[in-house]
Amino acid sequence: MTEASITALLTAIPMPALLVGRGERIIAANALTGTLFGPSVTGRHFITVIRQPAVLDAVEHCLGDHQVHRTQYLATRRGQDQNFEVTCSYVDTPLGQGVVVVFHDITQLTQAEQMRRDFVANVSHELRTPLTALIGFIETLRGPARDDAGARERFLGIMANEAERMERLVKDLLSLSQVEGEARMRPTERVELLGLMESVRNALAPLARDAAVEIRITAEAGEVVVQGDPDQLRQVLTNLVENAIKYGRSGKYVDLQLSAASELAELQGQGVSVTVRDHGPGIDEIHIPRLTERFYRVDSHRSREMGGTGLGLAIVKHIVNRHRGRMRISSTLGEGTAIRIVLPLYAPLR
């Protein structure tokens, strides 16, 4: 077996791989190693190529005891960290004995695990505050305020608010889980958007009245039908309009705009656009890319006071994705915020 044939075998491995000989020089490598170490690594001492101590130790141990060794390798590409699981396996070839070093990219797995840890930490944090408040008030009602009717009534009101806050959080968590579970199941029902928008306006009329806000609907087309899940699309509109009412502050209007087009750049075809716009203080552009992240808030204290869980826009994003749509957030300080949802027009599945 020649060096060329060994290189051909390494090329068949769909990830960076190289062969280190007993002389500790690299005998062969596939083209994918170039993404990690650059071109022309063959013939170089493996220490000058790999450099990271954990991997160097794994190669040396494998050369010594002929056992499989695994470790981690961290690389940086285009400013982004990449995590690799490295497997070192001893081999005996016609060119001599050596170690095949394979780099398996586990960046996505690492990121998913970090997201899971962050999610658990965020949920724990969100639940801890109301739970701590409830425990404190219960202890007070059992002790110093046992016979204080006024304090008891006041504390029970606060406890009810904290319990409702936890209920909203659990409800949103269940909703997010359901939407994620249905991500690959495209909805098939016919949904008439103008009627849905008017229904949402009527449902939120009491909230708008209390906030002295008028919900205005502008439709550039008549009946517009999309293919979707009516309950989830109602949830999207309700969430966006409710946010616009609550956080629009000084704005006296919330505008819902509906239009259809034969060609939308976002969809590269026919589609419908729904825009929910408030006329409040707006959002600094530094926050916009992160608004759909779970538990991200521009103003954490105000959001909690208004009953927000930090999951609303994350749920909206997942629902829009499930409907094969697009979502765009734009805002100007002092002028307001607009969230535009683009959905494909109804087309029966065949």
Side-chain angles (χ1 to χ4, degrees):
M1 182 178 286
T2 64
E3 180 180 323
S5 59
I6 292 178
T7 301
L9 286 174
L10 293 179
T11 301
I13 300 175
M15 56 194 74
L18 52 84
L19 175 62
V20 178
R22 291 213 55 93
E24 298 188 347
R25 293 191 176 275
I26 298 174
I27 298 174
N30 64 14
L32 294 175
T33 58
T35 62
L36 290 179
F37 309 115
S40 304
V41 300
T42 303
R44 295 171 57 186
H45 196 286
F46 79 98
I47 289 180
T48 65
V49 174
I50 300 175
R51 297 180 182 274
Q52 294 189 15
V55 183
L56 301 179
D57 290 344
V59 175
E60 290 176 349
H61 289 152
C62 188
L63 284 170
D65 60 20
H66 300 185
Q67 301 298 312
V68 174
H69 291 267
R70 291 184 174 86
T71 188
Q72 302 286 318
Y73 180 85
L74 177 64
T76 302
R77 186 182 182 193
R78 297 175 183 172
Q80 299 291 324
D81 286 343
Q82 284 185 291
N83 296 90
F84 292 85
E85 182 180 64
V86 182
T87 303
C88 302
S89 306
Y90 190 80
V91 294
D92 192 354
T93 74
L95 293 180
Q97 298 171 328
V99 174
V100 173
V101 187
V102 179
F103 296 80
H104 178 209
D105 191 345
I106 58 170
T107 303
Q108 290 187 340
L109 293 176
T110 304
Q111 291 173 343
E113 180 62 22
Q114 185 60 49
M115 288 177 61
R116 185 193 66 80
R117 287 196 295 267
D118 290 345
F119 183 71
V120 171
N122 283 325
V123 171
S124 301
H125 175 75
E126 293 291 332
L127 288 173
R128 183 170 60 243
T129 302
L131 280 174
T132 300
L134 286 172
I135 292 170
F137 286 126
I138 289 171
E139 290 176 351
T140 303
L141 289 172
R142 284 177 168 176
R146 181 191 301 271
D147 300 317
D148 187 337
R152 183 168 61 247
E153 196 64 30
R154 185 170 67 256
F155 290 163
L156 287 173
I158 297 173
M159 291 168 67
N161 289 336
E162 296 295 342
E164 289 172 2
R165 177 178 162 188
M166 287 192 293
E167 183 183 33
R168 286 193 297 271
L169 177 60
V170 172
K171 182 179 178 181
D172 279 354
L173 286 170
L174 291 174
S175 180
L176 182 60
S177 176
Q178 179 182 1
V179 172
E180 288 180 333
E182 296 174 343
R184 299 183 182 278
M185 299 167 56
R186 188 173 182 181
T188 58
E189 296 183 55
R190 296 176 79 258
V191 182
E192 201 281 301
L193 283 182
L194 182 57
L196 185 63
M197 292 166 63
E198 291 172 343
S199 176
V200 169
R201 177 176 61 180
N202 293 337
L204 293 177
L207 179 65
R209 185 167 54 251
D210 292 342
V213 171
E214 179 184 351
I215 303 174
R216 306 183 299 192
I217 295 178
T218 303
E220 298 177 5
E223 183 180 86
V224 177
V225 178
V226 298
Q227 189 170 296
D229 181 318
D231 292 333
Q232 288 189 348
L233 291 178
R234 178 184 296 276
Q235 186 176 5
V236 166
L237 291 175
T238 300
N239 184 289
L240 296 181
V241 175
E242 190 172 0
N243 281 352
I245 293 171
K246 288 180 177 179
Y247 304 114
R249 299 187 189 178
S250 58
K252 298 301 179 185
Y253 302 100
V254 170
D255 291 316
L256 276 75
Q257 299 169 325
L258 173 67
S259 62
S262 58
E263 186 69 28
L264 286 174
E266 297 94 333
L267 301 177
Q268 297 182 349
Q270 288 185 325
V272 57
S273 169
V274 178
T275 303
V276 178
R277 184 188 307 275
D278 68 50
H279 300 274
I283 301 170
D284 193 313
E285 63 179 9
I286 194 173
H287 297 290
I288 291 178
R290 300 191 61 190
L291 287 178
T292 58
E293 292 181 14
R294 301 170 184 179
F295 299 110
Y296 186 82
R297 296 178 173 96
V298 175
D299 184 341
S300 298
H301 180 69
R302 176 175 171 80
S303 176
R304 290 189 177 96
E305 280 188 343
M306 301 294 286
T309 64
L311 294 172
L313 288 180
I315 293 172
V316 167
K317 181 186 73 172
H318 282 286
I319 291 176
V320 171
N321 288 344
R322 185 195 174 204
H323 285 72
R324 308 302 189 266
R326 300 290 184 272
M327 175 180 176
R328 183 175 181 272
I329 304 174
S330 58
S331 186
T332 303
L333 289 176
E335 297 183 13
T337 301
I339 300 182
R340 182 171 183 256
I341 304 295
V342 174
L343 299 170
L345 285 173
Y346 179 75
L349 294 177
R350 297 180 180 178

